[in-house]
Amino acid sequence: MNISEKEIEGIVRQVIAGMTVSEASSGMVIDGKTYLGVFEDMNDAIDAAWKAQKKLYDMSVEEKEEIISAIRRLILEEAETLAKLGVSETGMGRVEHKILKHRYVAQKTPGTEDLVTEAITGDKGLTLLELAPFGVIGAMTPSTNPSETVLCNSIGMIAGSNTVVFNPHPGALMTSLYAVDLVNRAARSVGAPENLAVAVRKPTMETSDIMMKSPKVRMICCTGGPGVVRAVLSSGKKAIGAGAGNPPVIVDDTADIQKAGRDIIDGCTFDNNLPCIAEKEVFAFESITDELIYYMSQNGAYLISREQMRQLEGVVLVEDKKGKKAINKNWVGRDAKKILHEIGIEVGEEIRCVICEAQFDDPFVQIELMMPILPVVRVPDIDTAIDLAVRAEHGLRHTAHMHSKNIDHLTKFARAIETTIFVKNAPSYAGIGVGGEGHCTFTIAGPTGEGLTSAKSFCRRRRCAMVDSFRIV
Ligand code: NAD
């Protein structure tokens, strides 16, 4: 029997693919399900990612795109499972919105096309600037968008030829491990090496410390609150820090008030206010506040009195160790209906947001609640609105929103607040590509300046100079 060269090539490819599969001893069985890329020991996880990165670095762009396409396909196929898992494990968010978030991660997270080479030519020849991998990246992920962040980070990091070690939030562990496994199943399905994304079975501060100190980990990327961003910035490594926000919204008297009411409630209630970009407090011109509240109420908002607001503060806020008011984590990302029930108000499923009239100093204005509770503060004019909004954002420079047709007001607020994301006349999620232009990400790096991260954020710029040659003009 004669076997052609092509057939032999096919057999070899199959054998190699088979070997990769049998090598997948990394898979850990938890509650009867095998999770690829999950390790007991952080050092083992780092080693596996380190070896995988060497293989990934040798692969062609086309092969990397094959892996990324397979990840996208699996996310689309399993979006509902991921969404249900996230809600049931954390008790936070809404399944229908989490499905949508996963779809956007699959469809709008940039792949290798994000890595654009720059060329400089002149009398002295040609200089190239290429985007190269860091190697192994250590990543911390939040409980609020757990699988979305793992998957979005993985696509961008793999596109840049990096592999990634996750130390996920313990409160969303199984959802995060499911996402890590999905990345490896996708890689396996196209015969690529496994352990492109890995994680530990029990993430702790200790495993995080090992990860941050390992010489094999060349970059740290952290998505979470202020504590963790401080920690990564003191790691002594190249760090991407995506931290907390408290996005204000200004509505002036030139806005389409009916649309503003609907957009603000749509944005604020998306995944029960879990996204860090979601509307957290509103500053509305006095002259249009009643109308705005009316249209918010027409769109699923329930207005509570000041007295009821005080009652609700007793439910959703606690005192932290320093005696300061802080969120009661048990209420983060919960349904408005359940929140209202706690203060004796029974409403139907159509109610998705609690709104209240508040003063600037009220805790609901000052604290990043991450719950569908939205305080509305009346302001006399644009200068007061901007001043209060900037102060309520606490200098985080994360996200802000405005509903207005006055270009001077829009410009003035955008310049004053200096946020990474500024959304005009739309729900907040337009800022991450959901119903707005631009790519999608769940790691918005304000403190370290990468902004809306994508593959190129996870790469090093390298320069190659060819002197006196290679110009074609
Ligand atoms: P979190 O800060 O509690 O946890 C984030 C991650 O960091 C977890 O993996 C956690 O285990 C780890 N961590 C926390 N403190 C640490 C420390 N000192 N050292 C090492 N690891 C540490 O965040 P969360 O409650 O899951 O998420 C909500 C917060 O994250 C909100 O403040 C939200 O605004 C922010 N967030 C920001 C972005 C963004 O892109 N900027 C995205 C999502 C969430």
Side-chain angles (χ1 to χ4, degrees), residues 416-441:
I417 192 106
E418 293 187 281
T419 46
T420 304
I421 297 179
F422 189 76
V423 177
K424 297 169 178 169
N425 299 323
S428 49
Y429 42 72
I432 53 165
V434 180
E437 290 301 329
H439 73 270
C440 178
T441 183

mmCIF file with all atom_site columns, all heavy atoms in Angstrom, residues 416-441:
data_model
loop_
_atom_site.group_PDB
_atom_site.id
_atom_site.type_symbol
_atom_site.label_atom_id
_atom_site.label_alt_id
_atom_site.label_comp_id
_atom_site.label_asym_id
_atom_site.label_entity_id
_atom_site.label_seq_id
_atom_site.pdbx_PDB_ins_code
_atom_site.Cartn_x
_atom_site.Cartn_y
_atom_site.Cartn_z
_atom_site.occupancy
_atom_site.B_iso_or_equiv
_atom_site.pdbx_formal_charge
_atom_site.auth_seq_id
_atom_site.auth_comp_id
_atom_site.auth_asym_id
_atom_site.auth_atom_id
_atom_site.pdbx_PDB_model_num
ATOM 1   N N   . ALA A 1 416 ? -12.958 67.727 32.656 1.00 0.00 ? 416 ALA A N   1
ATOM 2   C CA  . ALA A 1 416 ? -12.794 67.837 34.112 1.00 0.00 ? 416 ALA A CA  1
ATOM 3   C C   . ALA A 1 416 ? -12.658 66.461 34.777 1.00 0.00 ? 416 ALA A C   1
ATOM 4   O O   . ALA A 1 416 ? -11.879 66.285 35.705 1.00 0.00 ? 416 ALA A O   1
ATOM 5   C CB  . ALA A 1 416 ? -13.978 68.588 34.715 1.00 0.00 ? 416 ALA A CB  1
ATOM 6   N N   . ILE A 1 417 ? -13.394 65.477 34.288 1.00 0.00 ? 417 ILE A N   1
ATOM 7   C CA  . ILE A 1 417 ? -13.451 64.189 35.004 1.00 0.00 ? 417 ILE A CA  1
ATOM 8   C C   . ILE A 1 417 ? -12.299 63.260 34.611 1.00 0.00 ? 417 ILE A C   1
ATOM 9   O O   . ILE A 1 417 ? -11.890 62.402 35.407 1.00 0.00 ? 417 ILE A O   1
ATOM 10  C CB  . ILE A 1 417 ? -14.831 63.510 34.815 1.00 0.00 ? 417 ILE A CB  1
ATOM 11  C CG1 . ILE A 1 417 ? -15.029 62.340 35.772 1.00 0.00 ? 417 ILE A CG1 1
ATOM 12  C CG2 . ILE A 1 417 ? -15.061 63.036 33.389 1.00 0.00 ? 417 ILE A CG2 1
ATOM 13  C CD1 . ILE A 1 417 ? -15.939 62.566 36.886 1.00 0.00 ? 417 ILE A CD1 1
ATOM 14  N N   . GLU A 1 418 ? -11.756 63.441 33.405 1.00 0.00 ? 418 GLU A N   1
ATOM 15  C CA  . GLU A 1 418 ? -10.546 62.705 32.970 1.00 0.00 ? 418 GLU A CA  1
ATOM 16  C C   . GLU A 1 418 ? -10.662 61.187 33.077 1.00 0.00 ? 418 GLU A C   1
ATOM 17  O O   . GLU A 1 418 ? -9.684  60.507 33.414 1.00 0.00 ? 418 GLU A O   1
ATOM 18  C CB  . GLU A 1 418 ? -9.328  63.138 33.808 1.00 0.00 ? 418 GLU A CB  1
ATOM 19  C CG  . GLU A 1 418 ? -8.878  64.550 33.590 1.00 0.00 ? 418 GLU A CG  1
ATOM 20  C CD  . GLU A 1 418 ? -7.577  64.834 34.331 1.00 0.00 ? 418 GLU A CD  1
ATOM 21  O OE1 . GLU A 1 418 ? -7.636  65.057 35.555 1.00 0.00 ? 418 GLU A OE1 1
ATOM 22  O OE2 . GLU A 1 418 ? -6.522  64.799 33.700 1.00 0.00 ? 418 GLU A OE2 1
ATOM 23  N N   . THR A 1 419 ? -11.830 60.651 32.843 1.00 0.00 ? 419 THR A N   1
ATOM 24  C CA  . THR A 1 419 ? -12.003 59.199 32.996 1.00 0.00 ? 419 THR A CA  1
ATOM 25  C C   . THR A 1 419 ? -11.508 58.420 31.774 1.00 0.00 ? 419 THR A C   1
ATOM 26  O O   . THR A 1 419 ? -11.436 58.963 30.678 1.00 0.00 ? 419 THR A O   1
ATOM 27  C CB  . THR A 1 419 ? -13.490 58.873 33.218 1.00 0.00 ? 419 THR A CB  1
ATOM 28  O OG1 . THR A 1 419 ? -14.260 59.610 32.258 1.00 0.00 ? 419 THR A OG1 1
ATOM 29  C CG2 . THR A 1 419 ? -13.929 59.239 34.616 1.00 0.00 ? 419 THR A CG2 1
ATOM 30  N N   . THR A 1 420 ? -11.214 57.139 31.988 1.00 0.00 ? 420 THR A N   1
ATOM 31  C CA  . THR A 1 420 ? -10.807 56.267 30.877 1.00 0.00 ? 420 THR A CA  1
ATOM 32  C C   . THR A 1 420 ? -11.962 56.124 29.883 1.00 0.00 ? 420 THR A C   1
ATOM 33  O O   . THR A 1 420 ? -11.756 56.102 28.678 1.00 0.00 ? 420 THR A O   1
ATOM 34  C CB  . THR A 1 420 ? -10.415 54.878 31.422 1.00 0.00 ? 420 THR A CB  1
ATOM 35  O OG1 . THR A 1 420 ? -9.403  55.048 32.403 1.00 0.00 ? 420 THR A OG1 1
ATOM 36  C CG2 . THR A 1 420 ? -9.914  53.964 30.324 1.00 0.00 ? 420 THR A CG2 1
ATOM 37  N N   . ILE A 1 421 ? -13.180 56.012 30.406 1.00 0.00 ? 421 ILE A N   1
ATOM 38  C CA  . ILE A 1 421 ? -14.360 55.871 29.544 1.00 0.00 ? 421 ILE A CA  1
ATOM 39  C C   . ILE A 1 421 ? -15.318 57.033 29.821 1.00 0.00 ? 421 ILE A C   1
ATOM 40  O O   . ILE A 1 421 ? -15.580 57.372 30.986 1.00 0.00 ? 421 ILE A O   1
ATOM 41  C CB  . ILE A 1 421 ? -15.076 54.526 29.801 1.00 0.00 ? 421 ILE A CB  1
ATOM 42  C CG1 . ILE A 1 421 ? -14.155 53.354 29.455 1.00 0.00 ? 421 ILE A CG1 1
ATOM 43  C CG2 . ILE A 1 421 ? -16.382 54.431 29.010 1.00 0.00 ? 421 ILE A CG2 1
ATOM 44  C CD1 . ILE A 1 421 ? -14.773 51.981 29.695 1.00 0.00 ? 421 ILE A CD1 1
ATOM 45  N N   . PHE A 1 422 ? -15.820 57.632 28.748 1.00 0.00 ? 422 PHE A N   1
ATOM 46  C CA  . PHE A 1 422 ? -16.810 58.705 28.876 1.00 0.00 ? 422 PHE A CA  1
ATOM 47  C C   . PHE A 1 422 ? -17.907 58.408 27.861 1.00 0.00 ? 422 PHE A C   1
ATOM 48  O O   . PHE A 1 422 ? -17.646 58.381 26.655 1.00 0.00 ? 422 PHE A O   1
ATOM 49  C CB  . PHE A 1 422 ? -16.146 60.052 28.590 1.00 0.00 ? 422 PHE A CB  1
ATOM 50  C CG  . PHE A 1 422 ? -17.016 61.240 28.898 1.00 0.00 ? 422 PHE A CG  1
ATOM 51  C CD1 . PHE A 1 422 ? -17.220 61.647 30.216 1.00 0.00 ? 422 PHE A CD1 1
ATOM 52  C CD2 . PHE A 1 422 ? -17.626 61.973 27.885 1.00 0.00 ? 422 PHE A CD2 1
ATOM 53  C CE1 . PHE A 1 422 ? -18.019 62.752 30.514 1.00 0.00 ? 422 PHE A CE1 1
ATOM 54  C CE2 . PHE A 1 422 ? -18.423 63.079 28.173 1.00 0.00 ? 422 PHE A CE2 1
ATOM 55  C CZ  . PHE A 1 422 ? -18.621 63.465 29.488 1.00 0.00 ? 422 PHE A CZ  1
ATOM 56  N N   . VAL A 1 423 ? -19.102 58.111 28.339 1.00 0.00 ? 423 VAL A N   1
ATOM 57  C CA  . VAL A 1 423 ? -20.192 57.737 27.422 1.00 0.00 ? 423 VAL A CA  1
ATOM 58  C C   . VAL A 1 423 ? -21.178 58.904 27.316 1.00 0.00 ? 423 VAL A C   1
ATOM 59  O O   . VAL A 1 423 ? -21.633 59.436 28.327 1.00 0.00 ? 423 VAL A O   1
ATOM 60  C CB  . VAL A 1 423 ? -20.919 56.461 27.911 1.00 0.00 ? 423 VAL A CB  1
ATOM 61  C CG1 . VAL A 1 423 ? -22.087 56.122 26.982 1.00 0.00 ? 423 VAL A CG1 1
ATOM 62  C CG2 . VAL A 1 423 ? -19.954 55.282 27.975 1.00 0.00 ? 423 VAL A CG2 1
ATOM 63  N N   . LYS A 1 424 ? -21.498 59.255 26.076 1.00 0.00 ? 424 LYS A N   1
ATOM 64  C CA  . LYS A 1 424 ? -22.446 60.351 25.855 1.00 0.00 ? 424 LYS A CA  1
ATOM 65  C C   . LYS A 1 424 ? -23.748 59.793 25.300 1.00 0.00 ? 424 LYS A C   1
ATOM 66  O O   . LYS A 1 424 ? -23.750 59.072 24.304 1.00 0.00 ? 424 LYS A O   1
ATOM 67  C CB  . LYS A 1 424 ? -21.868 61.332 24.828 1.00 0.00 ? 424 LYS A CB  1
ATOM 68  C CG  . LYS A 1 424 ? -20.587 62.012 25.280 1.00 0.00 ? 424 LYS A CG  1
ATOM 69  C CD  . LYS A 1 424 ? -19.946 62.751 24.105 1.00 0.00 ? 424 LYS A CD  1
ATOM 70  C CE  . LYS A 1 424 ? -18.694 63.474 24.555 1.00 0.00 ? 424 LYS A CE  1
ATOM 71  N NZ  . LYS A 1 424 ? -17.915 63.982 23.425 1.00 0.00 ? 424 LYS A NZ  1
ATOM 72  N N   . ASN A 1 425 ? -24.862 60.148 25.948 1.00 0.00 ? 425 ASN A N   1
ATOM 73  C CA  . ASN A 1 425 ? -26.212 59.861 25.445 1.00 0.00 ? 425 ASN A CA  1
ATOM 74  C C   . ASN A 1 425 ? -26.458 58.388 25.124 1.00 0.00 ? 425 ASN A C   1
ATOM 75  O O   . ASN A 1 425 ? -27.003 58.053 24.063 1.00 0.00 ? 425 ASN A O   1
ATOM 76  C CB  . ASN A 1 425 ? -26.505 60.716 24.200 1.00 0.00 ? 425 ASN A CB  1
ATOM 77  C CG  . ASN A 1 425 ? -26.434 62.197 24.526 1.00 0.00 ? 425 ASN A CG  1
ATOM 78  O OD1 . ASN A 1 425 ? -26.845 62.608 25.622 1.00 0.00 ? 425 ASN A OD1 1
ATOM 79  N ND2 . ASN A 1 425 ? -25.913 62.992 23.622 1.00 0.00 ? 425 ASN A ND2 1
ATOM 80  N N   . ALA A 1 426 ? -26.026 57.506 26.019 1.00 0.00 ? 426 ALA A N   1
ATOM 81  C CA  . ALA A 1 426 ? -26.243 56.065 25.832 1.00 0.00 ? 426 ALA A CA  1
ATOM 82  C C   . ALA A 1 426 ? -26.100 55.367 27.180 1.00 0.00 ? 426 ALA A C   1
ATOM 83  O O   . ALA A 1 426 ? -25.555 55.947 28.127 1.00 0.00 ? 426 ALA A O   1
ATOM 84  C CB  . ALA A 1 426 ? -25.227 55.512 24.843 1.00 0.00 ? 426 ALA A CB  1
ATOM 85  N N   . PRO A 1 427 ? -26.561 54.110 27.262 1.00 0.00 ? 427 PRO A N   1
ATOM 86  C CA  . PRO A 1 427 ? -26.308 53.356 28.501 1.00 0.00 ? 427 PRO A CA  1
ATOM 87  C C   . PRO A 1 427 ? -24.808 53.107 28.661 1.00 0.00 ? 427 PRO A C   1
ATOM 88  O O   . PRO A 1 427 ? -24.070 53.058 27.670 1.00 0.00 ? 427 PRO A O   1
ATOM 89  C CB  . PRO A 1 427 ? -27.048 52.028 28.266 1.00 0.00 ? 427 PRO A CB  1
ATOM 90  C CG  . PRO A 1 427 ? -27.966 52.267 27.121 1.00 0.00 ? 427 PRO A CG  1
ATOM 91  C CD  . PRO A 1 427 ? -27.345 53.338 26.284 1.00 0.00 ? 427 PRO A CD  1
ATOM 92  N N   . SER A 1 428 ? -24.367 52.906 29.890 1.00 0.00 ? 428 SER A N   1
ATOM 93  C CA  . SER A 1 428 ? -22.942 52.765 30.186 1.00 0.00 ? 428 SER A CA  1
ATOM 94  C C   . SER A 1 428 ? -22.252 51.695 29.354 1.00 0.00 ? 428 SER A C   1
ATOM 95  O O   . SER A 1 428 ? -21.100 51.846 28.952 1.00 0.00 ? 428 SER A O   1
ATOM 96  C CB  . SER A 1 428 ? -22.752 52.434 31.670 1.00 0.00 ? 428 SER A CB  1
ATOM 97  O OG  . SER A 1 428 ? -23.599 51.371 32.058 1.00 0.00 ? 428 SER A OG  1
ATOM 98  N N   . TYR A 1 429 ? -22.971 50.592 29.067 1.00 0.00 ? 429 TYR A N   1
ATOM 99  C CA  . TYR A 1 429 ? -22.292 49.471 28.395 1.00 0.00 ? 429 TYR A CA  1
ATOM 100 C C   . TYR A 1 429 ? -21.860 49.802 26.971 1.00 0.00 ? 429 TYR A C   1
ATOM 101 O O   . TYR A 1 429 ? -21.062 49.077 26.373 1.00 0.00 ? 429 TYR A O   1
ATOM 102 C CB  . TYR A 1 429 ? -23.126 48.176 28.451 1.00 0.00 ? 429 TYR A CB  1
ATOM 103 C CG  . TYR A 1 429 ? -24.621 48.328 28.211 1.00 0.00 ? 429 TYR A CG  1
ATOM 104 C CD1 . TYR A 1 429 ? -25.126 48.611 26.957 1.00 0.00 ? 429 TYR A CD1 1
ATOM 105 C CD2 . TYR A 1 429 ? -25.518 48.141 29.256 1.00 0.00 ? 429 TYR A CD2 1
ATOM 106 C CE1 . TYR A 1 429 ? -26.487 48.722 26.745 1.00 0.00 ? 429 TYR A CE1 1
ATOM 107 C CE2 . TYR A 1 429 ? -26.891 48.258 29.065 1.00 0.00 ? 429 TYR A CE2 1
ATOM 108 C CZ  . TYR A 1 429 ? -27.372 48.554 27.804 1.00 0.00 ? 429 TYR A CZ  1
ATOM 109 O OH  . TYR A 1 429 ? -28.719 48.679 27.601 1.00 0.00 ? 429 TYR A OH  1
ATOM 110 N N   . ALA A 1 430 ? -22.371 50.918 26.421 1.00 0.00 ? 430 ALA A N   1
ATOM 111 C CA  . ALA A 1 430 ? -21.890 51.345 25.094 1.00 0.00 ? 430 ALA A CA  1
ATOM 112 C C   . ALA A 1 430 ? -20.379 51.591 25.160 1.00 0.00 ? 430 ALA A C   1
ATOM 113 O O   . ALA A 1 430 ? -19.673 51.463 24.163 1.00 0.00 ? 430 ALA A O   1
ATOM 114 C CB  . ALA A 1 430 ? -22.600 52.612 24.648 1.00 0.00 ? 430 ALA A CB  1
ATOM 115 N N   . GLY A 1 431 ? -19.890 51.914 26.346 1.00 0.00 ? 431 GLY A N   1
ATOM 116 C CA  . GLY A 1 431 ? -18.461 52.191 26.529 1.00 0.00 ? 431 GLY A CA  1
ATOM 117 C C   . GLY A 1 431 ? -17.574 50.968 26.419 1.00 0.00 ? 431 GLY A C   1
ATOM 118 O O   . GLY A 1 431 ? -16.358 51.096 26.258 1.00 0.00 ? 431 GLY A O   1
ATOM 119 N N   . ILE A 1 432 ? -18.157 49.773 26.525 1.00 0.00 ? 432 ILE A N   1
ATOM 120 C CA  . ILE A 1 432 ? -17.332 48.563 26.329 1.00 0.00 ? 432 ILE A CA  1
ATOM 121 C C   . ILE A 1 432 ? -17.798 47.806 25.072 1.00 0.00 ? 432 ILE A C   1
ATOM 122 O O   . ILE A 1 432 ? -17.684 46.587 24.981 1.00 0.00 ? 432 ILE A O   1
ATOM 123 C CB  . ILE A 1 432 ? -17.305 47.633 27.572 1.00 0.00 ? 432 ILE A CB  1
ATOM 124 C CG1 . ILE A 1 432 ? -18.710 47.275 28.070 1.00 0.00 ? 432 ILE A CG1 1
ATOM 125 C CG2 . ILE A 1 432 ? -16.468 48.234 28.678 1.00 0.00 ? 432 ILE A CG2 1
ATOM 126 C CD1 . ILE A 1 432 ? -18.742 46.106 29.046 1.00 0.00 ? 432 ILE A CD1 1
ATOM 127 N N   . GLY A 1 433 ? -18.345 48.560 24.143 1.00 0.00 ? 433 GLY A N   1
ATOM 128 C CA  . GLY A 1 433 ? -18.666 47.981 22.833 1.00 0.00 ? 433 GLY A CA  1
ATOM 129 C C   . GLY A 1 433 ? -20.028 47.309 22.743 1.00 0.00 ? 433 GLY A C   1
ATOM 130 O O   . GLY A 1 433 ? -20.375 46.754 21.704 1.00 0.00 ? 433 GLY A O   1
ATOM 131 N N   . VAL A 1 434 ? -20.829 47.362 23.811 1.00 0.00 ? 434 VAL A N   1
ATOM 132 C CA  . VAL A 1 434 ? -22.166 46.743 23.765 1.00 0.00 ? 434 VAL A CA  1
ATOM 133 C C   . VAL A 1 434 ? -23.147 47.838 23.319 1.00 0.00 ? 434 VAL A C   1
ATOM 134 O O   . VAL A 1 434 ? -23.548 48.695 24.108 1.00 0.00 ? 434 VAL A O   1
ATOM 135 C CB  . VAL A 1 434 ? -22.571 46.162 25.142 1.00 0.00 ? 434 VAL A CB  1
ATOM 136 C CG1 . VAL A 1 434 ? -23.954 45.532 25.080 1.00 0.00 ? 434 VAL A CG1 1
ATOM 137 C CG2 . VAL A 1 434 ? -21.535 45.161 25.629 1.00 0.00 ? 434 VAL A CG2 1
ATOM 138 N N   . GLY A 1 435 ? -23.478 47.828 22.020 1.00 0.00 ? 435 GLY A N   1
ATOM 139 C CA  . GLY A 1 435 ? -24.341 48.878 21.493 1.00 0.00 ? 435 GLY A CA  1
ATOM 140 C C   . GLY A 1 435 ? -23.569 50.165 21.203 1.00 0.00 ? 435 GLY A C   1
ATOM 141 O O   . GLY A 1 435 ? -24.177 51.201 20.957 1.00 0.00 ? 435 GLY A O   1
ATOM 142 N N   . GLY A 1 436 ? -22.269 50.109 21.254 1.00 0.00 ? 436 GLY A N   1
ATOM 143 C CA  . GLY A 1 436 ? -21.432 51.265 20.886 1.00 0.00 ? 436 GLY A CA  1
ATOM 144 C C   . GLY A 1 436 ? -20.267 50.747 20.069 1.00 0.00 ? 436 GLY A C   1
ATOM 145 O O   . GLY A 1 436 ? -20.015 49.538 20.045 1.00 0.00 ? 436 GLY A O   1
ATOM 146 N N   . GLU A 1 437 ? -19.561 51.650 19.423 1.00 0.00 ? 437 GLU A N   1
ATOM 147 C CA  . GLU A 1 437 ? -18.407 51.219 18.623 1.00 0.00 ? 437 GLU A CA  1
ATOM 148 C C   . GLU A 1 437 ? -17.227 50.883 19.526 1.00 0.00 ? 437 GLU A C   1
ATOM 149 O O   . GLU A 1 437 ? -17.136 51.363 20.648 1.00 0.00 ? 437 GLU A O   1
ATOM 150 C CB  . GLU A 1 437 ? -18.001 52.320 17.637 1.00 0.00 ? 437 GLU A CB  1
ATOM 151 C CG  . GLU A 1 437 ? -18.994 52.545 16.496 1.00 0.00 ? 437 GLU A CG  1
ATOM 152 C CD  . GLU A 1 437 ? -19.224 51.298 15.643 1.00 0.00 ? 437 GLU A CD  1
ATOM 153 O OE1 . GLU A 1 437 ? -18.302 50.479 15.502 1.00 0.00 ? 437 GLU A OE1 1
ATOM 154 O OE2 . GLU A 1 437 ? -20.348 51.151 15.121 1.00 0.00 ? 437 GLU A OE2 1
ATOM 155 N N   . GLY A 1 438 ? -16.340 50.070 19.015 1.00 0.00 ? 438 GLY A N   1
ATOM 156 C CA  . GLY A 1 438 ? -15.118 49.759 19.759 1.00 0.00 ? 438 GLY A CA  1
ATOM 157 C C   . GLY A 1 438 ? -15.142 48.353 20.323 1.00 0.00 ? 438 GLY A C   1
ATOM 158 O O   . GLY A 1 438 ? -16.198 47.717 20.410 1.00 0.00 ? 438 GLY A O   1
ATOM 159 N N   . HIS A 1 439 ? -13.958 47.877 20.706 1.00 0.00 ? 439 HIS A N   1
ATOM 160 C CA  . HIS A 1 439 ? -13.845 46.494 21.158 1.00 0.00 ? 439 HIS A CA  1
ATOM 161 C C   . HIS A 1 439 ? -14.376 46.317 22.577 1.00 0.00 ? 439 HIS A C   1
ATOM 162 O O   . HIS A 1 439 ? -14.661 47.283 23.285 1.00 0.00 ? 439 HIS A O   1
ATOM 163 C CB  . HIS A 1 439 ? -12.403 45.990 21.028 1.00 0.00 ? 439 HIS A CB  1
ATOM 164 C CG  . HIS A 1 439 ? -11.450 46.550 22.041 1.00 0.00 ? 439 HIS A CG  1
ATOM 165 N ND1 . HIS A 1 439 ? -10.730 47.690 21.840 1.00 0.00 ? 439 HIS A ND1 1
ATOM 166 C CD2 . HIS A 1 439 ? -11.094 46.103 23.271 1.00 0.00 ? 439 HIS A CD2 1
ATOM 167 C CE1 . HIS A 1 439 ? -9.977  47.941 22.884 1.00 0.00 ? 439 HIS A CE1 1
ATOM 168 N NE2 . HIS A 1 439 ? -10.179 46.984 23.789 1.00 0.00 ? 439 HIS A NE2 1
ATOM 169 N N   . CYS A 1 440 ? -14.490 45.055 22.959 1.00 0.00 ? 440 CYS A N   1
ATOM 170 C CA  . CYS A 1 440 ? -15.010 44.727 24.283 1.00 0.00 ? 440 CYS A CA  1
ATOM 171 C C   . CYS A 1 440 ? -13.867 44.293 25.199 1.00 0.00 ? 440 CYS A C   1
ATOM 172 O O   . CYS A 1 440 ? -12.922 43.640 24.759 1.00 0.00 ? 440 CYS A O   1
ATOM 173 C CB  . CYS A 1 440 ? -16.012 43.573 24.129 1.00 0.00 ? 440 CYS A CB  1
ATOM 174 S SG  . CYS A 1 440 ? -16.695 43.006 25.677 1.00 0.00 ? 440 CYS A SG  1
ATOM 175 N N   . THR A 1 441 ? -13.949 44.688 26.448 1.00 0.00 ? 441 THR A N   1
ATOM 176 C CA  . THR A 1 441 ? -13.018 44.163 27.445 1.00 0.00 ? 441 THR A CA  1
ATOM 177 C C   . THR A 1 441 ? -13.659 44.248 28.811 1.00 0.00 ? 441 THR A C   1
ATOM 178 O O   . THR A 1 441 ? -14.564 45.062 29.027 1.00 0.00 ? 441 THR A O   1
ATOM 179 C CB  . THR A 1 441 ? -11.684 44.932 27.451 1.00 0.00 ? 441 THR A CB  1
ATOM 180 O OG1 . THR A 1 441 ? -10.810 44.309 28.408 1.00 0.00 ? 441 THR A OG1 1
ATOM 181 C CG2 . THR A 1 441 ? -11.849 46.389 27.848 1.00 0.00 ? 441 THR A CG2 1
#
